[in-house]
């Protein structure tokens, strides 16, 4: 049997796993952009509901109250994060807002987030915290601005 017809042990399982991991790694910046856009849109929805009563008819809080400021952060920050503009500072501020929201509104109702209704606040807090460090990704106005500047 010559070398061209001899069967060699196949490592295709290892190669395909490495190829799949490589493919996922190459798509990672775009997955970051999709995460950023979706969490920004969801947060924008909270701000719109709080400030404008749309799409959920929440009562509009009086100006300059804690809930009014929360609505302003949610509305403005949601727009900025969705567009990927000033993503790091906006996400950092929104992460802080969600930490405050959790300890102000949810933690007093009990220790476990599933029981006190604070699981969404915690999740938002840590996603925004991640975005403050990871940035907006390539599908953003921040990236477009960086490309134009230099």
């Amino acid at each position: 049997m010559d070398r061209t017809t001899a069967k060699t042990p196949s490592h295709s399982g290892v190669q395909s796993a490495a190829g799949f991991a490589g493919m996922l790694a190459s798509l990672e910046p775009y997955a970051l952009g999709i995460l950023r856009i979706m969490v920004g849109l969801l947060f924008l929805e909270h701000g719109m509901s709080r400030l404008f009563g749309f799409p959920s008819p929440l009562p509009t809080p009086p100006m300059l109250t804690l809930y009014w400021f929360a609505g302003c952060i949610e509305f403005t920050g949601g727009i900025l994060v969705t567009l990927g503009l000033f993503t790091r500072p906006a996400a950092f501020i929104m992460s802080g807002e969600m930490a405050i929201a959790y300890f102000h509104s949810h933690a007093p109702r009990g220790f476990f987030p599933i029981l006190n209704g604070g699981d969404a606040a915690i999740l938002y807090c840590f996603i925004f915290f991640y975005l403050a460090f990871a940035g907006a990704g390539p599908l953003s106005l921040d990236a477009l601005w960086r490309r134009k500047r230099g």
Side-chain angles (χ1 to χ4, degrees):
M1 198 177 334
D2 63 30
R3 289 183 181 208
T4 58
T5 60
K7 295 279 185 188
T8 57
S10 174
H11 299 292
S12 63
V14 173
Q15 290 172 346
S16 66
F20 184 67
M23 181 192 68
L24 289 178
S26 69
L27 296 174
E28 182 181 352
Y30 302 101
L32 171 63
I34 292 167
L35 172 70
R36 176 187 49 78
I37 290 166
M38 290 309 303
V39 76
L41 287 172
L42 289 170
F43 216 61
L44 173 61
E45 184 178 41
H46 283 274
M48 288 174 49
S49 291
R50 189 176 308 274
L51 294 178
F52 308 115
F54 176 82
S56 172
L58 294 177
T60 303
M63 283 186 76
L64 305 179
T65 62
L66 184 64
Y67 291 111
W68 181 82
F69 281 113
C72 290
I73 291 170
E74 292 163 1
F75 180 72
T76 305
I79 291 171
L80 291 174
V81 166
T82 299
L83 296 175
L85 182 63
F86 306 116
T87 303
R88 290 177 192 262
F92 187 75
I93 290 167
M94 292 188 294
S95 176
E97 181 209 354
M98 287 291 93
I100 291 168
Y102 179 78
F103 287 109
H104 182 268
S105 297
H106 300 285
R109 290 189 263 168
F111 179 76
F112 295 104
I114 192 88
L115 298 176
N116 68 26
D119 45 352
I122 292 172
L123 193 57
Y124 275 124
C125 177
F126 281 96
I127 290 173
F128 288 132
F129 191 70
Y130 171 72
L131 289 175
F133 286 90
L139 303 173
S140 66
L141 292 178
D142 285 344
L144 181 64
W145 189 19
R146 260 193 323 274
R147 283 192 298 270
K148 286 193 180 227
R149 286 184 52 212

